[in-house]
């Protein structure tokens, strides 16, 4: 009975607010189906860690340190950057780079659409965040949850909670965020622009060489990105080698499912009331949203700029798919193309830009680690 009263006496308004945040995350996952694989464990974990004297967090009891399960997950899987890297193996095993081989020009959009990272980083510096905090906030614009977690865990672990929530929530909201920005920057005629797609056979050798070559080149340019890009490309090599189907399927399914659960619960260890309920949290959420908007805008504008030099024009919306939110962004662009002109099919070019964005976001994260680490 004494323990019960002690727990109730230590229940703070901040903990109550965070429990409400946890319920909101669960609502978004279950009802709205926004990134449910991660937001559901994050939401439940947020409730769990905000129970006063929760045994899920490391605490002192009877003069001895009692290790909490969620604190251990954070220390072993996120602070060490292991969980995000394992997720990259799963993501790589799911990606087919064939559309990129068919339309190599779309790789430019996978690079240009990362501009939101650096523009938002500059804004965060102006607001008053230090350099590494600004980089951690800017990386939300990678539109890639594991990269955001990897970089922020290295540079600003105290901001990991709001950064993770922003990264995954806005990824799920790409179909809501991108269309208004695209419509603002393009005309109806530009959105109707058709694109021809010619299917070309891509050799097995090319598909196998690609992940190896990308790993070597990216690792040489930005060595701190070697683990990020290497784990992503290793997953893709499992897929394309054709000799380890069991491992490739295991990476796509069992590995992805288990690590996603552990990652979501581990992140929630940083979502306690005293950490999360800060004025800077709202700033981080706002700047994360801005990063997605800037990514989309620069992607569209880069496609429009490229069209000045091309005979066969590119539908500018393809540039918006250069963000790393795969495959939501490519689907959003195709839906808008079909709405603008019935039968307009630009999905494959959009997918090419989208998978390029996956590489571009990892390279951007690696560059931040290289220059600031």
């Amino acid at each position: 009975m004494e323990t019960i009263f002690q727990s109730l006496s230590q229940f703070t308004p901040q903990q109550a607010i965070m429990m409400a945040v946890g319920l909101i995350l669960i609502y978004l996952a279950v009802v709205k189906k926004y990134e449910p694989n991660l937001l559901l464990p994050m939401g439940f974990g947020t409730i769990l860690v905000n129970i006063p004297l929760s045994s899920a967090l490391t605490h002192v009891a009877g003069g001895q340190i009692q290790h909490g399960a969620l604190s251990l997950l954070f220390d072993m899987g996120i602070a060490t950057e292991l969980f995000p890297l394992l997720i990259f193996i799963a993501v790589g095993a799911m990606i087919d780079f064939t559309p990129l081989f068919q339309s190599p020009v779309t790789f430019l959009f996978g690079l240009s659409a990362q501009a939101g990272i650096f523009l938002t980083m500059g804004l965060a510096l102006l607001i008053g965040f230090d350099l590494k905090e600004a980089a951690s906030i800017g990386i939300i614009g990678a539109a890639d949850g594991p990269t955001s977690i990897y970089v922020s865990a290295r540079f600003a672990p105290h901001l990991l909670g709001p950064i993770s929530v922003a990264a995954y929530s806005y990824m799920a909201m790409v179909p809501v965020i991108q269309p208004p920005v695209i419509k603002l920057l393009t005309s109806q005629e530009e959105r109707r622009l058709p694109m021809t797609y010619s299917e070309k056979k891509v050799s097995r050798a090319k598909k196998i060489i690609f992940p190896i070559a990308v790993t070597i080149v990216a690792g040489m340019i930005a060595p701190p990105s070697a683990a990020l890009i290497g784990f992503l490309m290793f997953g893709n090599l499992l897929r394309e080698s054709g000799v380890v189907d069991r491992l490739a399927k295991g990476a796509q399914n069992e590995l992805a499912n288990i690590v996603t659960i552990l990652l979501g619960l581990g992140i929630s260890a940083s979502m306690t009331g005293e950490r999360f309920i800060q004025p800077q949290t709202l700033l981080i959420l706002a700047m994360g949203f801005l990063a997605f908007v800037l990514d989309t805008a620069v992607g569209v504008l880069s496609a429009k700029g490229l069209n000045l030099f091309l005979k066969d024009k590119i539908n500018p919306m393809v540039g918006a798919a250069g963000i790393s939110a795969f495959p939501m962004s490519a689907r959003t662009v195709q839906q808008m193309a079909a709405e603008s002109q019935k039968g307009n099919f630009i999905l494959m070019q959009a997918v090419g830009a989208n998978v390029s964005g996956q590489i571009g976001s990892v390279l951007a994260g690696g560059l931040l680690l290289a220059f600031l680490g």
Side-chain angles (χ1 to χ4, degrees), residues 91-108:
V91 171
M94 297 175 191
I95 292 178
D96 182 2
F97 286 107
T98 301
L100 173 58
F101 297 139
Q102 305 286 1
S103 304
V105 70
T106 58
F107 187 72
L108 296 174

Side-chain angles (χ1 to χ4, degrees), residues 6 10-11 28 39 99 176 279:
Q6 185 181 8
Q10 295 190 26
F11 190 52
L28 292 175
L39 292 189
V176 177

Side-chain angles (χ1 to χ4, degrees), residues 333-368:
V333 166
Q334 170 55 37
Q335 183 178 358
M336 292 184 68
E339 290 173 354
S340 299
Q341 180 68 49
K342 187 176 181 180
N344 193 5
F345 188 77
I346 61 172
L347 178 63
M348 299 312 292
Q349 290 89 347
V351 170
N354 216 178
V355 296
S356 300
Q358 189 73 61
I359 299 174
S361 66
V362 173
L363 287 176
L367 287 173
L368 289 176

